[in-house]
Amino acid sequence: RQLESSNYFLLSKLSFQEGNYSNAIQYLNHSQGLLKQLGDKNRIKNNYGLYAEIYAAQNLLDSAYYYQKWFSIMKDSIFNEELANNLANVQIATVEEQSQRKIADQQEANKRTRMGMLFLASILLLSIALIVVIFKNNARMQKVNKQLNESRNEIQEQKEDLEKKNNQLAEAHNTIQRQNH
C-alpha cells in the first residue's frame, strides 16, 4: 500500500507538471486514501503540500490555503513528535546515565566498605595475636617469678641455716677460747 500510494503521488505530480489538474487531484485522492489507512503522517503531509500547489496553480486560493494550512499543521505535528521522541530519548539516556553513575557510586561504596572490613579484620587478628602473646608472656613471667620466689625462699632458708651454724660456730669458738684461757 505504501508503494501504491507513492506511485499515485508520483502520477499526481506528473499530471500536475503536465497541467492536467483534475487527474493530479484524482491520483492524489487515491494516494491520500491509502496513506490515511496506513497512518503515514509524513507522506500525508507531502500530499497536502502537493494539494496546495495544485490548487494555487488553478487560482483556487481558498482550497490552496486550506491544504497549505493542513500541510503546516502536519509539519508541526511531525516536528513535535520527533521533538518529543528526541526529548524522550534524551530523558532515557539521562536516566540511564544517572543509573550507571548510581551503580558506580554504589560499587565504590561497597569497595570502600569491603576495604574497611578487611582493615578492621586485620586489626582484630593483630589484636588477638597480641593478646595471645601477652598472655603467654604473662604465664611465663608468673612461672619464672614462682621459681624465683621458691629459689629466694630456699636461699633464705639456707641463709638462716648458715646464720644458725655461724652462731653455733661462734659459740663453739667462744667456748674453745674460754677453755683455752
Side-chain angles (χ1 to χ4, degrees):
R1 288 184 178 180
Q2 283 183 334
L3 186 59
E4 189 177 352
S5 71
S6 292
N7 288 336
Y8 280 126
F9 176 79
L10 293 173
L11 285 171
S12 175
K13 212 168 195 181
L14 286 173
S15 295
F16 170 62
Q17 289 171 352
E18 292 172 353
N20 191 349
Y21 301 128
S22 61
N23 280 346
I25 295 289
Q26 188 178 9
Y27 289 135
L28 207 49
N29 287 337
H30 286 298
S31 175
Q32 195 72 349
L34 291 170
L35 290 175
K36 283 186 179 180
Q37 289 175 359
L38 294 172
D40 190 341
K41 291 181 180 180
N42 197 33
R43 290 186 179 184
I44 291 172
K45 173 194 64 123
N46 293 338
N47 282 355
Y48 284 144
L50 188 55
Y51 273 124
E53 288 179 37
I54 293 169
Y55 286 121
Q58 294 177 10
N59 275 337
L60 297 173
L61 298 180
D62 286 342
S63 296
Y65 171 75
Y66 173 81
Y67 283 106
Q68 185 63 41
K69 183 176 85 171
W70 275 105
F71 175 79
S72 295
I73 290 170
M74 291 299 289
K75 185 176 177 183
D76 290 343
S77 170
I78 291 170
F79 176 75
N80 287 339
E81 285 179 18
E82 288 177 6
L83 185 63
N85 285 339
N86 288 342
L87 184 60
N89 289 339
V90 167
Q91 287 176 337
I92 289 170
T94 302
V95 168
E96 285 177 357
E97 184 179 321
Q98 287 173 346
S99 297
Q100 292 297 329
R101 209 175 301 135
K102 198 174 199 179
I103 289 169
D105 290 345
Q106 200 170 28
Q107 287 174 342
E108 184 65 30
N110 288 344
K111 185 178 178 182
R112 277 188 255 124
T113 301
R114 273 182 284 184
M115 292 300 288
M117 296 287 268
L118 287 173
F119 180 71
L120 289 176
S122 63
I123 288 176
L124 181 64
L125 287 174
L126 288 174
S127 298
I128 290 171
L130 183 62
I131 289 171
V132 168
V133 167
I134 289 172
F135 274 119
K136 282 187 175 185
N137 194 22
N138 191 22
R140 190 178 315 129
M141 290 298 286
Q142 285 179 352
K143 187 177 180 181
V144 168
N145 283 340
K146 185 178 177 184
Q147 287 176 349
L148 280 175
N149 281 337
E150 287 175 3
S151 295
R152 190 182 303 133
N153 287 341
E154 191 177 314
I155 289 171
Q156 187 67 29
E157 285 175 9
Q158 288 176 358
K159 181 181 170 188
E160 287 174 1
D161 192 38
L162 277 177
E163 284 178 359
K164 228 189 222 183
K165 287 183 182 178
N166 276 342
N167 286 338
Q168 286 177 353
L169 275 177
E171 280 182 31
H173 186 283
N174 285 340
T175 306
I176 289 176
Q177 275 186 348
R178 265 187 290 152
Q179 286 178 355
N180 278 341
H181 270 269

